[in-house]
Amino acid sequence: AIQMTQSPSSLSASVGDRVTITCRASQGIKNDLGWYQQKAGNGPNLLIYAASTLHAGVPSRFSGSGSGTDFTLTISNLQPEDSATYYCLQDYTYPRTFGQGTKVEVK
Amino acid sequence: EVRVVESGGGTVQPGGSLRLSCVASGFTFGDHWMIWIRRAPGKGLEWVANIDEGGNKKFYADSVVGRFTISRDNAKNSLFLQMDGLRVEDTALYYCARDLNYNDKGHYFDVIDLWGQGTMVTVSS
């Protein structure tokens, strides 16, 4: 199975900051990658699919980039409601695999 | 309202079985791939299994293959996960989710846009 390595595992940043989360695949996955946000007590929410396509209704401060093995999720102008855990998910092949998650705290 | 609601979780001994259900409403269930994903306590998300619109194609995580079976009944807008040979490490909150399976010029992307609140499975002696 493809391994997805996310970093950092956690971060703390202030309102208005720009944060970047990275995800590295153990082999090339083209642009077959999504990013999901999970807040405490809730089911996950889709942010981005196809590595860089913003899902409908997701604020434009979220953006994704990358292809092949290296991907990034960027949150510009961090807001208090962005406190959550973020996951990447490869959909290049089966079985699908998630990264370990990045917990974002907004100070 | 567009939603999916899971049920069937509970506590079971190692080696036991459980059958999870997910009922969909507010959309044409039979038009979509469906997925089970889980989150163990204190851990991250793990993709478990998915099934195509007609129930013909099924895929599983390595950790559950041969023990779990995904199925669906489109007439009842329902998705199922039969879990046999349960292990302590299967303890998790199990989510049902919809995949829009977006087609971009013949290439399909998973677009998991609708999730339930989950049903808790505890495997313990």
Side-chain angles (χ1 to χ4, degrees), chain B residues 65-121:
Chain B
V65 68
R67 301 187 298 121
F68 289 12
T69 303
I70 190 171
S71 62
R72 65 191 297 163
D73 183 340
N74 288 343
K76 296 183 177 180
N77 293 333
S78 295
L79 175 73
F80 306 101
L81 187 68
Q82 176 66 41
M83 304 185 296
D84 299 317
L86 281 161
R87 304 169 179 167
V88 171
E89 54 265 35
D90 295 319
T91 294
L93 185 62
Y94 284 74
Y95 296 102
C96 163
R98 178 180 75 176
D99 185 358
L100 295 181
N101 207 230
Y102 174 67
N103 182 355
D104 180 19
K105 300 170 188 170
H107 185 79
Y108 289 88
F109 296 97
D110 290 357
V111 179
I112 309 172
D113 75 320
L114 179 66
W115 301 66
Q117 288 299 108
T119 185
M120 186 68 199
V121 172

Short mmCIF file of all heavy atoms in Angstrom, two decimals, chain B residues 65-121:
data_model
loop_
_atom_site.label_atom_id
_atom_site.label_comp_id
_atom_site.label_asym_id
_atom_site.label_seq_id
_atom_site.Cartn_x
_atom_site.Cartn_y
_atom_site.Cartn_z
N VAL B 65 -9.32 -6.96 4.95
CA VAL B 65 -9.67 -7.88 3.86
C VAL B 65 -9.81 -9.29 4.39
O VAL B 65 -9.03 -9.75 5.22
CB VAL B 65 -8.61 -7.79 2.73
CG1 VAL B 65 -7.28 -8.35 3.17
CG2 VAL B 65 -9.10 -8.43 1.48
N GLY B 66 -10.88 -9.96 3.96
CA GLY B 66 -11.16 -11.32 4.42
C GLY B 66 -11.98 -11.38 5.69
O GLY B 66 -12.49 -12.45 6.06
N ARG B 67 -12.13 -10.25 6.37
CA ARG B 67 -12.92 -10.23 7.62
C ARG B 67 -14.16 -9.34 7.51
O ARG B 67 -15.19 -9.63 8.12
CB ARG B 67 -12.06 -9.72 8.78
CG ARG B 67 -10.82 -10.54 9.05
CD ARG B 67 -10.11 -10.07 10.33
NE ARG B 67 -9.64 -8.70 10.25
CZ ARG B 67 -10.02 -7.72 11.08
NH1 ARG B 67 -10.87 -7.97 12.05
NH2 ARG B 67 -9.53 -6.50 10.94
N PHE B 68 -14.05 -8.26 6.75
CA PHE B 68 -15.15 -7.32 6.59
C PHE B 68 -15.74 -7.45 5.19
O PHE B 68 -15.01 -7.72 4.22
CB PHE B 68 -14.67 -5.88 6.77
CG PHE B 68 -14.29 -5.50 8.18
CD1 PHE B 68 -14.15 -6.43 9.19
CD2 PHE B 68 -14.07 -4.16 8.50
CE1 PHE B 68 -13.80 -6.07 10.48
CE2 PHE B 68 -13.72 -3.77 9.78
CZ PHE B 68 -13.57 -4.73 10.78
N THR B 69 -17.06 -7.21 5.08
CA THR B 69 -17.73 -7.24 3.79
C THR B 69 -18.63 -6.02 3.66
O THR B 69 -19.50 -5.80 4.51
CB THR B 69 -18.57 -8.52 3.63
OG1 THR B 69 -17.75 -9.67 3.80
CG2 THR B 69 -19.22 -8.55 2.25
N ILE B 70 -18.41 -5.26 2.62
CA ILE B 70 -19.26 -4.10 2.35
C ILE B 70 -20.35 -4.50 1.36
O ILE B 70 -20.11 -5.31 0.45
CB ILE B 70 -18.41 -2.92 1.81
CG1 ILE B 70 -19.22 -1.63 1.75
CG2 ILE B 70 -17.79 -3.25 0.45
CD1 ILE B 70 -18.38 -0.38 1.43
N SER B 71 -21.55 -3.96 1.56
CA SER B 71 -22.65 -4.24 0.65
C SER B 71 -23.63 -3.08 0.69
O SER B 71 -23.50 -2.17 1.51
CB SER B 71 -23.36 -5.55 1.03
OG SER B 71 -23.92 -5.45 2.32
N ARG B 72 -24.60 -3.12 -0.21
CA ARG B 72 -25.60 -2.06 -0.25
C ARG B 72 -26.92 -2.59 -0.77
O ARG B 72 -26.96 -3.61 -1.48
CB ARG B 72 -25.10 -0.90 -1.12
CG ARG B 72 -24.93 -1.23 -2.59
CD ARG B 72 -24.18 -0.11 -3.33
NE ARG B 72 -24.91 1.15 -3.31
CZ ARG B 72 -24.34 2.34 -3.58
NH1 ARG B 72 -23.05 2.40 -3.84
NH2 ARG B 72 -25.07 3.42 -3.56
N ASP B 73 -27.98 -1.87 -0.41
CA ASP B 73 -29.32 -2.17 -0.91
C ASP B 73 -29.88 -0.84 -1.42
O ASP B 73 -30.35 0.00 -0.63
CB ASP B 73 -30.19 -2.74 0.21
CG ASP B 73 -31.58 -3.13 -0.26
OD1 ASP B 73 -32.02 -2.62 -1.32
OD2 ASP B 73 -32.25 -3.91 0.43
N ASN B 74 -29.81 -0.63 -2.72
CA ASN B 74 -30.22 0.66 -3.27
C ASN B 74 -31.72 0.91 -3.12
O ASN B 74 -32.16 2.05 -3.02
CB ASN B 74 -29.81 0.76 -4.73
CG ASN B 74 -28.30 0.93 -4.89
OD1 ASN B 74 -27.60 1.28 -3.94
ND2 ASN B 74 -27.79 0.67 -6.09
N ALA B 75 -32.50 -0.14 -3.08
CA ALA B 75 -33.95 0.02 -2.91
C ALA B 75 -34.29 0.58 -1.54
O ALA B 75 -35.33 1.22 -1.35
CB ALA B 75 -34.65 -1.31 -3.12
N LYS B 76 -33.38 0.34 -0.58
CA LYS B 76 -33.60 0.83 0.79
C LYS B 76 -32.65 1.96 1.17
O LYS B 76 -32.56 2.32 2.34
CB LYS B 76 -33.46 -0.34 1.77
CG LYS B 76 -34.52 -1.42 1.59
CD LYS B 76 -34.38 -2.52 2.64
CE LYS B 76 -35.49 -3.56 2.47
NZ LYS B 76 -35.38 -4.66 3.48
N ASN B 77 -31.92 2.47 0.16
CA ASN B 77 -30.97 3.58 0.40
C ASN B 77 -30.02 3.26 1.54
O ASN B 77 -29.72 4.13 2.38
CB ASN B 77 -31.73 4.88 0.72
CG ASN B 77 -32.52 5.40 -0.46
OD1 ASN B 77 -32.17 5.15 -1.61
ND2 ASN B 77 -33.59 6.10 -0.18
N SER B 78 -29.54 2.05 1.56
CA SER B 78 -28.75 1.59 2.70
C SER B 78 -27.41 1.00 2.31
O SER B 78 -27.29 0.28 1.30
CB SER B 78 -29.53 0.56 3.51
OG SER B 78 -30.68 1.14 4.10
N LEU B 79 -26.43 1.27 3.14
CA LEU B 79 -25.07 0.74 3.02
C LEU B 79 -24.80 -0.10 4.27
O LEU B 79 -25.28 0.25 5.36
CB LEU B 79 -24.06 1.89 2.94
CG LEU B 79 -22.58 1.54 2.93
CD1 LEU B 79 -22.19 0.94 1.57
CD2 LEU B 79 -21.74 2.79 3.21
N PHE B 80 -24.03 -1.17 4.10
CA PHE B 80 -23.76 -2.06 5.22
C PHE B 80 -22.26 -2.37 5.32
O PHE B 80 -21.53 -2.30 4.33
CB PHE B 80 -24.54 -3.37 5.07
CG PHE B 80 -26.00 -3.18 4.88
CD1 PHE B 80 -26.57 -3.28 3.62
CD2 PHE B 80 -26.82 -2.89 5.96
CE1 PHE B 80 -27.93 -3.09 3.43
CE2 PHE B 80 -28.19 -2.70 5.78
CZ PHE B 80 -28.74 -2.79 4.51
N LEU B 81 -21.85 -2.74 6.53
CA LEU B 81 -20.51 -3.28 6.73
C LEU B 81 -20.63 -4.45 7.70
O LEU B 81 -20.91 -4.25 8.89
CB LEU B 81 -19.56 -2.22 7.29
CG LEU B 81 -18.09 -2.67 7.38
CD1 LEU B 81 -17.49 -2.86 5.98
CD2 LEU B 81 -17.26 -1.66 8.17
N GLN B 82 -20.47 -5.65 7.15
CA GLN B 82 -20.47 -6.86 7.99
C GLN B 82 -19.05 -7.07 8.48
O GLN B 82 -18.12 -7.23 7.66
CB GLN B 82 -20.94 -8.07 7.17
CG GLN B 82 -20.90 -9.39 7.94
CD GLN B 82 -21.87 -9.43 9.11
OE1 GLN B 82 -23.01 -8.97 8.99
NE2 GLN B 82 -21.43 -9.96 10.24
N MET B 83 -18.89 -7.08 9.79
CA MET B 83 -17.56 -7.21 10.39
C MET B 83 -17.48 -8.51 11.17
O MET B 83 -18.19 -8.67 12.18
CB MET B 83 -17.29 -6.01 11.31
CG MET B 83 -17.44 -4.67 10.59
SD MET B 83 -16.96 -3.27 11.64
CE MET B 83 -18.20 -3.39 12.91
N ASP B 84 -16.67 -9.41 10.71
CA ASP B 84 -16.45 -10.70 11.36
C ASP B 84 -15.01 -10.80 11.85
O ASP B 84 -14.15 -10.06 11.40
CB ASP B 84 -16.75 -11.85 10.38
CG ASP B 84 -18.18 -11.84 9.88
OD1 ASP B 84 -19.09 -11.62 10.71
OD2 ASP B 84 -18.39 -12.05 8.66
N GLY B 85 -14.79 -11.73 12.78
CA GLY B 85 -13.44 -11.90 13.30
C GLY B 85 -12.86 -10.64 13.89
O GLY B 85 -11.69 -10.31 13.67
N LEU B 86 -13.68 -9.91 14.62
CA LEU B 86 -13.25 -8.60 15.12
C LEU B 86 -12.07 -8.72 16.08
O LEU B 86 -11.96 -9.68 16.86
CB LEU B 86 -14.42 -7.90 15.80
CG LEU B 86 -15.41 -7.25 14.81
CD1 LEU B 86 -16.74 -6.98 15.46
CD2 LEU B 86 -14.81 -5.99 14.22
N ARG B 87 -11.21 -7.71 16.00
CA ARG B 87 -10.00 -7.63 16.82
C ARG B 87 -10.04 -6.37 17.67
O ARG B 87 -10.74 -5.41 17.32
CB ARG B 87 -8.77 -7.62 15.91
CG ARG B 87 -8.67 -8.79 14.96
CD ARG B 87 -7.59 -8.57 13.92
NE ARG B 87 -7.47 -9.70 13.00
CZ ARG B 87 -6.78 -9.67 11.87
NH1 ARG B 87 -6.13 -8.57 11.52
NH2 ARG B 87 -6.71 -10.75 11.10
N VAL B 88 -9.26 -6.36 18.71
CA VAL B 88 -9.19 -5.17 19.58
C VAL B 88 -8.84 -3.93 18.75
O VAL B 88 -9.39 -2.85 18.97
CB VAL B 88 -8.17 -5.39 20.71
CG1 VAL B 88 -7.92 -4.11 21.48
CG2 VAL B 88 -8.63 -6.51 21.64
N GLU B 89 -7.96 -4.11 17.77
CA GLU B 89 -7.52 -2.97 16.95
C GLU B 89 -8.59 -2.47 15.98
O GLU B 89 -8.39 -1.47 15.29
CB GLU B 89 -6.24 -3.31 16.19
CG GLU B 89 -6.31 -4.56 15.35
CD GLU B 89 -5.78 -5.80 16.05
OE1 GLU B 89 -5.96 -5.91 17.30
OE2 GLU B 89 -5.21 -6.68 15.37
N ASP B 90 -9.75 -3.14 15.92
CA ASP B 90 -10.87 -2.65 15.11
C ASP B 90 -11.72 -1.64 15.88
O ASP B 90 -12.65 -1.05 15.31
CB ASP B 90 -11.76 -3.80 14.64
CG ASP B 90 -11.05 -4.75 13.70
OD1 ASP B 90 -10.30 -4.26 12.82
OD2 ASP B 90 -11.24 -5.98 13.83
N THR B 91 -11.41 -1.45 17.16
CA THR B 91 -12.12 -0.47 17.97
C THR B 91 -11.96 0.91 17.35
O THR B 91 -10.83 1.39 17.16
CB THR B 91 -11.59 -0.47 19.41
OG1 THR B 91 -11.89 -1.72 20.03
CG2 THR B 91 -12.21 0.66 20.23
N ALA B 92 -13.09 1.54 17.00
CA ALA B 92 -13.03 2.83 16.31
C ALA B 92 -14.43 3.40 16.15
O ALA B 92 -15.44 2.70 16.32
CB ALA B 92 -12.39 2.66 14.93
N LEU B 93 -14.46 4.66 15.76
CA LEU B 93 -15.69 5.31 15.32
C LEU B 93 -15.75 5.10 13.81
O LEU B 93 -14.82 5.48 13.09
CB LEU B 93 -15.65 6.79 15.67
CG LEU B 93 -16.89 7.62 15.40
CD1 LEU B 93 -18.08 7.12 16.21
CD2 LEU B 93 -16.62 9.09 15.70
N TYR B 94 -16.82 4.50 13.33
CA TYR B 94 -16.95 4.15 11.92
C TYR B 94 -17.87 5.16 11.23
O TYR B 94 -19.03 5.35 11.64
CB TYR B 94 -17.51 2.73 11.76
CG TYR B 94 -16.47 1.67 12.05
CD1 TYR B 94 -16.06 1.41 13.35
CD2 TYR B 94 -15.89 0.94 11.02
CE1 TYR B 94 -15.08 0.46 13.62
CE2 TYR B 94 -14.92 -0.02 11.27
CZ TYR B 94 -14.52 -0.26 12.57
OH TYR B 94 -13.56 -1.20 12.83
N TYR B 95 -17.34 5.76 10.17
CA TYR B 95 -18.09 6.74 9.39
C TYR B 95 -18.54 6.14 8.06
O TYR B 95 -17.76 5.46 7.38
CB TYR B 95 -17.22 7.95 9.08
CG TYR B 95 -16.77 8.77 10.25
CD1 TYR B 95 -15.48 8.64 10.75
CD2 TYR B 95 -17.62 9.70 10.85
CE1 TYR B 95 -15.04 9.41 11.82
CE2 TYR B 95 -17.20 10.47 11.92
CZ TYR B 95 -15.91 10.32 12.41
OH TYR B 95 -15.48 11.09 13.46
N CYS B 96 -19.75 6.46 7.69
CA CYS B 96 -20.26 6.21 6.35
C CYS B 96 -20.10 7.51 5.57
O CYS B 96 -20.30 8.60 6.12
CB CYS B 96 -21.73 5.81 6.47
SG CYS B 96 -22.74 5.91 4.99
N ALA B 97 -19.74 7.41 4.30
CA ALA B 97 -19.54 8.62 3.52
C ALA B 97 -19.89 8.39 2.05
O ALA B 97 -19.84 7.26 1.55
CB ALA B 97 -18.09 9.10 3.63
N ARG B 98 -20.24 9.47 1.37
CA ARG B 98 -20.58 9.45 -0.05
C ARG B 98 -19.38 9.94 -0.86
O ARG B 98 -18.72 10.91 -0.48
CB ARG B 98 -21.77 10.36 -0.30
CG ARG B 98 -22.18 10.47 -1.76
CD ARG B 98 -23.37 11.41 -1.93
NE ARG B 98 -23.02 12.81 -1.80
CZ ARG B 98 -23.87 13.81 -1.98
NH1 ARG B 98 -25.12 13.55 -2.29
NH2 ARG B 98 -23.48 15.06 -1.85
N ASP B 99 -19.16 9.29 -1.99
CA ASP B 99 -18.09 9.71 -2.90
C ASP B 99 -18.72 10.15 -4.23
O ASP B 99 -19.35 9.37 -4.91
CB ASP B 99 -17.14 8.54 -3.13
CG ASP B 99 -15.93 8.92 -3.98
OD1 ASP B 99 -15.83 10.08 -4.42
OD2 ASP B 99 -15.08 8.04 -4.20
N LEU B 100 -18.51 11.40 -4.58
CA LEU B 100 -19.05 11.91 -5.84
C LEU B 100 -18.31 11.36 -7.05
O LEU B 100 -18.81 11.48 -8.17
CB LEU B 100 -19.00 13.44 -5.85
CG LEU B 100 -19.86 14.16 -4.83
CD1 LEU B 100 -19.72 15.67 -5.00
CD2 LEU B 100 -21.32 13.73 -4.96
N ASN B 101 -17.11 10.81 -6.83
CA ASN B 101 -16.35 10.17 -7.90
C ASN B 101 -16.29 11.05 -9.14
O ASN B 101 -16.79 10.70 -10.21
CB ASN B 101 -16.99 8.81 -8.22
CG ASN B 101 -16.01 7.82 -8.80
OD1 ASN B 101 -16.25 7.19 -9.82
ND2 ASN B 101 -14.87 7.68 -8.16
N TYR B 102 -15.69 12.20 -8.99
CA TYR B 102 -15.66 13.23 -10.02
C TYR B 102 -14.87 12.78 -11.24
O TYR B 102 -13.73 12.31 -11.13
CB TYR B 102 -15.06 14.51 -9.43
CG TYR B 102 -14.84 15.60 -10.43
CD1 TYR B 102 -15.92 16.23 -11.05
CD2 TYR B 102 -13.55 16.02 -10.78
CE1 TYR B 102 -15.72 17.23 -11.97
CE2 TYR B 102 -13.34 17.02 -11.69
CZ TYR B 102 -14.43 17.63 -12.29
OH TYR B 102 -14.23 18.62 -13.19
N ASN B 103 -15.46 12.96 -12.42
CA ASN B 103 -14.85 12.56 -13.69
C ASN B 103 -14.29 13.78 -14.40
O ASN B 103 -15.04 14.66 -14.80
CB ASN B 103 -15.89 11.87 -14.58
CG ASN B 103 -15.31 11.39 -15.89
OD1 ASN B 103 -14.15 11.63 -16.22
ND2 ASN B 103 -16.12 10.70 -16.67
N ASP B 104 -12.97 13.83 -14.53
CA ASP B 104 -12.32 14.92 -15.25
C ASP B 104 -11.66 14.34 -16.50
O ASP B 104 -10.58 13.77 -16.42
CB ASP B 104 -11.29 15.60 -14.35
CG ASP B 104 -10.58 16.74 -15.06
OD1 ASP B 104 -11.10 17.23 -16.08
OD2 ASP B 104 -9.49 17.13 -14.61
N LYS B 105 -12.33 14.43 -17.61
CA LYS B 105 -11.82 13.95 -18.89
C LYS B 105 -11.41 12.48 -18.81
O LYS B 105 -10.36 12.08 -19.30
CB LYS B 105 -10.63 14.80 -19.34
CG LYS B 105 -10.97 16.27 -19.50
CD LYS B 105 -9.71 17.11 -19.71
CE LYS B 105 -10.04 18.58 -19.67
NZ LYS B 105 -8.84 19.43 -19.64
N GLY B 106 -12.25 11.68 -18.19
CA GLY B 106 -12.02 10.26 -18.11
C GLY B 106 -11.20 9.80 -16.92
O GLY B 106 -11.04 8.60 -16.70
N HIS B 107 -10.67 10.74 -16.16
CA HIS B 107 -9.93 10.38 -14.94
C HIS B 107 -10.80 10.68 -13.74
O HIS B 107 -11.33 11.78 -13.61
CB HIS B 107 -8.62 11.18 -14.85
CG HIS B 107 -7.76 10.77 -13.70
ND1 HIS B 107 -6.96 9.64 -13.74
CD2 HIS B 107 -7.59 11.30 -12.48
CE1 HIS B 107 -6.32 9.52 -12.59
NE2 HIS B 107 -6.69 10.52 -11.80
N TYR B 108 -10.92 9.70 -12.84
CA TYR B 108 -11.83 9.83 -11.72
C TYR B 108 -11.08 10.21 -10.45
O TYR B 108 -10.04 9.63 -10.13
CB TYR B 108 -12.61 8.53 -11.51
CG TYR B 108 -13.63 8.27 -12.58
CD1 TYR B 108 -13.28 7.60 -13.75
CD2 TYR B 108 -14.94 8.72 -12.45
CE1 TYR B 108 -14.21 7.38 -14.75
CE2 TYR B 108 -15.88 8.50 -13.44
CZ TYR B 108 -15.51 7.82 -14.59
OH TYR B 108 -16.44 7.62 -15.58
N PHE B 109 -11.65 11.15 -9.73
CA PHE B 109 -11.12 11.56 -8.43
C PHE B 109 -12.15 11.28 -7.35
O PHE B 109 -13.35 11.47 -7.54
CB PHE B 109 -10.82 13.07 -8.44
CG PHE B 109 -9.74 13.48 -9.39
CD1 PHE B 109 -10.07 13.98 -10.65
CD2 PHE B 109 -8.42 13.38 -9.03
CE1 PHE B 109 -9.07 14.36 -11.54
CE2 PHE B 109 -7.41 13.77 -9.90
CZ PHE B 109 -7.74 14.26 -11.17
N ASP B 110 -11.65 10.80 -6.19
CA ASP B 110 -12.54 10.66 -5.04
C ASP B 110 -12.90 12.05 -4.53
O ASP B 110 -12.00 12.87 -4.30
CB ASP B 110 -11.85 9.89 -3.91
CG ASP B 110 -11.65 8.42 -4.24
OD1 ASP B 110 -12.09 7.97 -5.32
OD2 ASP B 110 -11.05 7.72 -3.40
N VAL B 111 -14.18 12.28 -4.36
CA VAL B 111 -14.65 13.54 -3.79
C VAL B 111 -15.62 13.15 -2.69
O VAL B 111 -16.82 13.00 -2.92
CB VAL B 111 -15.31 14.43 -4.86
CG1 VAL B 111 -15.81 15.73 -4.23
CG2 VAL B 111 -14.35 14.73 -5.99
N ILE B 112 -15.08 12.94 -1.50
CA ILE B 112 -15.88 12.43 -0.39
C ILE B 112 -16.51 13.62 0.31
O ILE B 112 -15.90 14.26 1.18
CB ILE B 112 -15.00 11.60 0.57
CG1 ILE B 112 -14.20 10.55 -0.21
CG2 ILE B 112 -15.87 10.93 1.62
CD1 ILE B 112 -13.16 9.82 0.61
N ASP B 113 -17.72 13.92 -0.11
CA ASP B 113 -18.30 15.22 0.24
C ASP B 113 -19.35 15.17 1.34
O ASP B 113 -19.80 16.22 1.80
CB ASP B 113 -18.92 15.86 -1.00
CG ASP B 113 -20.23 15.19 -1.39
OD1 ASP B 113 -20.31 13.96 -1.31
OD2 ASP B 113 -21.17 15.94 -1.75
N LEU B 114 -19.79 13.97 1.72
CA LEU B 114 -20.86 13.86 2.71
C LEU B 114 -20.50 12.75 3.69
O LEU B 114 -20.25 11.62 3.28
CB LEU B 114 -22.19 13.55 2.01
CG LEU B 114 -23.42 13.38 2.91
CD1 LEU B 114 -23.76 14.71 3.59
CD2 LEU B 114 -24.61 12.87 2.09
N TRP B 115 -20.48 13.09 4.98
CA TRP B 115 -20.08 12.16 6.03
C TRP B 115 -21.17 12.13 7.10
O TRP B 115 -21.83 13.13 7.36
CB TRP B 115 -18.79 12.61 6.70
CG TRP B 115 -17.60 12.75 5.80
CD1 TRP B 115 -17.42 13.65 4.78
CD2 TRP B 115 -16.40 11.97 5.86
NE1 TRP B 115 -16.18 13.47 4.21
CE2 TRP B 115 -15.53 12.46 4.85
CE3 TRP B 115 -15.97 10.92 6.67
CZ2 TRP B 115 -14.26 11.91 4.63
CZ3 TRP B 115 -14.70 10.39 6.46
CH2 TRP B 115 -13.87 10.88 5.44
N GLY B 116 -21.30 10.96 7.74
CA GLY B 116 -22.18 10.87 8.89
C GLY B 116 -21.44 11.27 10.16
O GLY B 116 -20.28 11.69 10.11
N GLN B 117 -22.10 11.10 11.27
CA GLN B 117 -21.50 11.41 12.57
C GLN B 117 -20.76 10.22 13.15
O GLN B 117 -20.00 10.36 14.11
CB GLN B 117 -22.57 11.88 13.55
CG GLN B 117 -23.08 13.28 13.24
CD GLN B 117 -21.97 14.33 13.30
OE1 GLN B 117 -21.50 14.88 12.30
NE2 GLN B 117 -21.51 14.62 14.51
N GLY B 118 -20.98 9.05 12.58
CA GLY B 118 -20.24 7.87 13.01
C GLY B 118 -21.00 7.01 14.01
O GLY B 118 -21.91 7.47 14.70
N THR B 119 -20.61 5.73 14.06
CA THR B 119 -21.12 4.79 15.05
C THR B 119 -19.92 4.09 15.68
O THR B 119 -19.00 3.67 14.98
CB THR B 119 -22.12 3.80 14.42
OG1 THR B 119 -22.70 2.98 15.43
CG2 THR B 119 -21.46 2.90 13.37
N MET B 120 -19.94 3.98 17.00
CA MET B 120 -18.76 3.49 17.73
C MET B 120 -18.77 1.97 17.87
O MET B 120 -19.79 1.39 18.28
CB MET B 120 -18.71 4.12 19.13
CG MET B 120 -17.45 3.79 19.90
SD MET B 120 -16.02 4.59 19.13
CE MET B 120 -14.69 3.59 19.85
N VAL B 121 -17.66 1.37 17.53
CA VAL B 121 -17.46 -0.07 17.69
C VAL B 121 -16.34 -0.28 18.70
O VAL B 121 -15.25 0.26 18.53
CB VAL B 121 -17.10 -0.73 16.35
CG1 VAL B 121 -16.70 -2.20 16.56
CG2 VAL B 121 -18.27 -0.63 15.37
#
